Amino acid sequence: MDIVRTAIGLMSGTSMDGIDVALLRTDGRGFIERGPFLGIAYDGGFRERLKRALDLARPLTDRAARPDELRQIEIELTQRHADAVTAFLEKFGLRSGDVDVLGFHGQTVLHRPDDGLTIQIGDGALLAERSGIPVVYDMRANDMAHGGQGAPLVPAYHAALAGRFQKDGQRVCFVNIGGISNLTYIGAEGRIAAFDSGPGNTLIDQWVEMQTGKTYDPGGEIAGRGQVVAEIAARYLGSPFFQGNIRRSLDRGDFKPLADGEASLEDGARTLAHVAAASIVKSASYLPERPSVFIVCGGGRLNGTIMAEFADMAGKNGSRVMSAEEAGFDGDAMEAEAWAYLAVRSLEGLPLTYPGTTGVSQPVSGGVLVEPAK
């Protein structure tokens, strides 16, 4: 009989806007019982510290290296995750003993799949000590050691959720629009294909912050007042990333931000929203079949301009677009839930990644388990 565990997933993504905390009861296979969710925003000062971590990591070639300042940021990040777990348990009336495992993503500060290098800061042992709960972390490394891109990892969870939409031969594609967007396609016979699809929120966030000091475009309101600058859109969409059949995972820095003065605030935001939507459609053309339905999660689903563009483009290809909420899910919680699910799969030695998701040579498990000191 499969063991059902209670897991908490912790996610801090490429948007660097905060920590997502979600609880899941699962056997790491087909049984999934979704629990509560809590989002905890980073303050502006710590977001700047994380941006500094990207600069500090850029010259590294050893994934275990933590030069002094980067190590300090790692400790700060880990403590904030421990505090987030405490806040979550208190809010929902839970104790540490009620939770079997934490799935800890950490913060990606460098991702160079072509060099077999990925670095996520976050001290799993320190988190286990501070929380009193076993922790599974560093879930990307084993995939890369077996020839994979180290991303995306969420498809295993998407595949588990997709069954209810696969009646009548529907072909489902989950779209996560975070800092970077990614796709998970699940065909009618359960075939999985997944890859990063292009820039999501990162370029828009960078542009709006540079122009206004705000960290994002709420609801896509700024973009909604602008016009697409065709030359800028063509430059992004003409990237070599979109050419050829070999898909690769992306680093936050792979698409350069707009330079100050290239466009008005509104036109820049509108153009980058267009790029975010068009990137998904261009990359979806490499899927085995055209999806019947796209289910959108991540922060980008709240940007009305991105969603309107995406729905229009997909509709012309005969596909339907719906938000995670329309599909019965929580679009904010899905990535954190995935990390809880993956932690349980790791404990069971089940695959986290597959040749069709990361390009790994064979299905592989991964993650490092650390227990709190007794």
Side-chain angles (χ1 to χ4, degrees):
M1 184 176 176
D2 295 333
I3 300 171
V4 175
R5 292 181 171 90
T6 299
I8 287 177
L10 300 164
M11 182 67 198
S12 179
T14 50
S15 293
M16 301 190 301
D17 52 0
I19 303 168
D20 292 337
V21 190
L23 184 139
L24 207 66
R25 293 188 69 247
T26 182
D27 60 0
R29 296 174 173 84
F31 178 82
I32 296 171
E33 185 177 276
R34 294 166 45 234
F37 167 78
L38 180 66
I40 299 175
Y42 290 138
D43 58 83
F46 188 65
R47 288 185 76 245
E48 291 304 314
R49 293 280 281 157
L50 289 179
K51 291 179 186 177
R52 171 68 176 155
L54 301 178
D55 293 334
L56 293 169
R58 194 168 293 122
L60 299 181
T61 56
D62 177 1
R63 62 182 306 274
R66 298 292 187 272
D68 291 347
E69 188 179 354
L70 187 60
R71 175 57 180 160
Q72 288 305 311
I73 297 171
E74 180 174 56
I75 292 171
E76 291 175 39
L77 177 84
T78 305
Q79 182 58 55
R80 285 172 182 264
H81 278 73
D83 292 344
V85 171
T86 298
F88 183 88
L89 296 176
E90 290 179 353
K91 180 177 177 65
F92 297 108
L94 299 168
R95 299 170 299 172
S96 59
D98 296 328
V99 182
D100 296 305
V101 66
L102 302 178
F104 181 29
H105 176 270
Q107 183 71 50
T108 299
V109 293
L110 185 70
H111 189 66
R112 291 181 183 154
D114 294 341
D115 299 328
L117 179 64
T118 187
I119 301 175
Q120 287 77 42
I121 58 172
D123 188 326
L126 179 60
L127 180 59
E129 175 191 326
R130 297 286 172 86
S131 67
I133 302 171
V135 173
V136 172
Y137 73 112
D138 199 15
M139 295 193 220
R140 300 187 189 276
N142 196 45
D143 177 83
M144 297 189 84
H146 287 81
Q149 295 266 309
L153 264 67
V154 178
Y157 183 55
H158 285 161
L161 296 176
R164 58 190 275 199
F165 295 95
Q166 292 177 296
K167 300 173 184 177
D168 305 320
Q170 280 207 88
R171 302 172 302 280
V172 181
C173 184
F174 284 89
V175 181
N176 179 64
I177 307 178
I180 299 295
S181 295
N182 55 68
L183 308 178
T184 303
Y185 166 86
I186 305 99
E189 297 179 357
R191 178 182 180 184
I192 302 175
F195 42 77
D196 285 352
S197 58
N201 299 319
T202 293
L203 292 174
I204 302 169
D205 293 348
Q206 289 171 329
W207 174 250
V208 171
E209 185 168 17
M210 178 170 64
Q211 298 296 316
T212 71
K214 297 178 180 178
T215 56
Y216 69 108
D217 178 7
E221 295 171 4
I222 297 171
R225 300 194 299 268
Q227 301 293 322
V228 174
V229 181
E231 297 81 4
I232 295 175
R235 187 177 78 217
Y236 281 111
L237 296 171
S239 165
F241 172 77
F242 298 110
Q243 313 304 317
N245 289 320
I246 298 175
R247 302 290 87 206
R248 60 181 291 272
S249 59
L250 289 166
D251 181 72
R252 175 186 166 94
D254 283 341
F255 286 85
K256 302 304 180 188
L258 279 180
D260 193 16
E262 280 199 82
S264 69
L265 167 64
E266 292 82 2
D267 288 355
R270 179 74 173 79
T271 302
L272 295 173
H274 172 83
V275 168
S279 294
I280 298 167
V281 175
K282 283 179 74 76
S283 290
S285 69
Y286 293 101
L287 293 171
E289 299 173 275
R290 185 177 68 242
S292 308
V293 58
F294 290 96
I295 299 172
V296 187
C297 54
R301 81 193 190 287
L302 303 176
N303 185 309
T305 304
I306 294 177
M307 289 294 283
E309 286 259 11
F310 181 30
D312 180 63
M313 294 179 196
K316 290 175 181 175
N317 291 333
S319 301
R320 185 164 52 108
V321 173
M322 63 171 64
S323 70
E325 285 71 21
E326 291 176 90
F329 304 122
D330 182 336
D332 290 327
M334 197 172 288
E335 274 202 289
E337 289 173 357
W339 240 253
Y341 183 77
L342 292 170
V344 173
R345 286 183 70 83
S346 177
L347 293 178
E348 292 290 319
L350 295 169
L352 306 188
T353 56
Y354 301 84
T357 63
T358 65
V360 68
S361 59
Q362 62 192 41
V364 295
S365 191
V368 176
L369 171 66
V370 286
E371 303 271 0
K374 296 182 178 179

